[in-house]
Amino acid sequence: MSTIDTLSACTLACGFFSRALLAEPTQDFLETLGKDDLFAEWPLPADTDDTAKGLETLRAFFAVSGPEAMHAVSRDHTELFIGPTDPVPVWESVWTTRERLLFDEPTFEVRRIFAAYGLEAPDNAHQPDDHIGLEFAFVAHLLTLALRAADDGAPQTMREHIASARTFIADHLGVWGPKCLDQIAEKAATNYYRGIAQLGRGTLAQLDGILAGVETA
C-alpha cells in the first residue's frame, strides 16, 4: 500500500474501535457494519492470530444477526461496561495505578496530551479522558493529521504526527489496552464484543510496526 493508503487504513481502524468501545451501538450502526461488510474488507492485514480470529468472529456475528441481535448486544454492553456486577474497567488509570481509581494521574496526563493538540474529551467532568474509546480516537486524530500532511506533500510534518501516535501508543494505549481487551473478550456474551476485543488486540499489536514502516520510508 502507498503511504496515504496505509495511513488511511490505520485511521479507519482506530476510528472504528473508538466508536465501537465508547458507546453502546445503535441499530443503525450495527446495520451499517453489516451492510458495508467492513470485516470482509478490513483495511489492515490479517497477519496476527488475534486479527484473524477477530475478523472471523465478527463475520460470524453479522452472518446470522437479526432483530434479536440488537437486544443481545445491548444486554452485553450493559453487563460488560455498566454492571450490575464486576464490569470491565475501560479507563487507563484503573489499569495502571495501584489504587485502581478513576480520575487518577494517568487521566490528567492524557488530558494534558489532548490539550496540547487543542482537544478536550466531550464530557471530561463525568467521563475520564483516559477511556479506551477516547484514546483510540486520539490516535485516529494524530493519524488524520499525518494523512493530511502526506497529502499536502509535507513528509517531515507527517513523520512528526506518526511519531506522536507511536509514542502515545507506547506510553498509554498499548500499555493497558490489550489487558482491557483481554477481559472484554473473556467476559463477552456476544460475538460482537468478543470479536471487537480480539480484533482490537490484533490491531494494537500491528500498529507500531505498520506506522514505523511509514515513518522511516
Side-chain angles (χ1 to χ4, degrees):
M1 287 193 294
S2 69
T3 292
I4 287 178
D5 286 344
T6 300
L7 287 173
S8 296
C10 293
T11 304
L12 177 62
C14 290
F16 165 72
F17 291 117
S18 173
R19 173 63 182 83
L21 293 167
L22 194 53
E24 180 179 348
T26 62
Q27 182 71 49
D28 285 347
F29 182 68
L30 292 178
E31 288 177 355
T32 298
L33 290 178
K35 180 179 64 177
D36 292 350
D37 209 10
L38 174 64
F39 307 109
E41 301 293 337
W42 184 247
L44 299 179
D47 57 5
T48 71
D49 288 345
D50 277 330
T51 300
K53 189 185 302 181
L55 289 172
E56 181 182 355
T57 303
L58 285 162
R59 289 182 197 125
F61 172 79
F62 284 102
V64 299
S65 64
E68 71 283 354
M70 181 65 202
H71 299 294
V73 169
S74 179
R75 186 166 56 251
D76 203 14
H77 177 272
T78 298
E79 292 175 355
L80 279 170
F81 305 120
I82 300 172
T85 59
D86 197 26
V88 178
V90 287
W91 304 276
E92 179 177 345
S93 62
V94 178
W95 286 95
T96 60
T97 62
R98 180 173 299 185
E99 293 80 8
R100 294 176 62 85
L101 297 175
L102 291 175
F103 289 104
D104 211 330
E105 178 54 32
T107 305
F108 298 104
E109 183 178 350
V110 167
R111 183 175 294 181
R112 288 191 290 270
I113 294 170
F114 288 2
Y117 282 85
L119 301 176
E120 184 178 283
D123 185 20
N124 61 19
H126 301 98
Q127 176 67 275
D129 308 60
D130 56 346
H131 187 288
I132 192 169
L134 294 175
E135 293 202 2
F136 267 116
F138 181 62
V139 174
H141 176 73
L142 294 176
L143 297 181
T144 297
L145 295 178
L147 182 60
R148 290 175 185 165
D151 207 26
D152 291 341
Q156 182 55 38
T157 301
M158 176 199 76
R159 286 192 286 270
E160 289 170 1
H161 291 312
I162 293 173
S164 295
R166 293 181 65 202
T167 297
F168 186 79
I169 293 168
D171 293 347
H172 294 280
L173 183 56
V175 174
W176 69 281
K179 293 180 283 189
C180 175
L181 293 166
D182 280 344
Q183 196 166 111
I184 293 171
E186 179 184 336
K187 292 187 173 186
T190 61
N191 275 337
Y192 176 74
Y193 277 114
R194 187 175 300 110
I196 285 171
Q198 293 165 340
L199 187 57
R201 287 186 314 211
T203 299
L204 284 179
Q206 293 173 297
L207 269 181
D208 186 69
I210 293 172
L211 294 175
V214 178
E215 185 182 358
T216 58

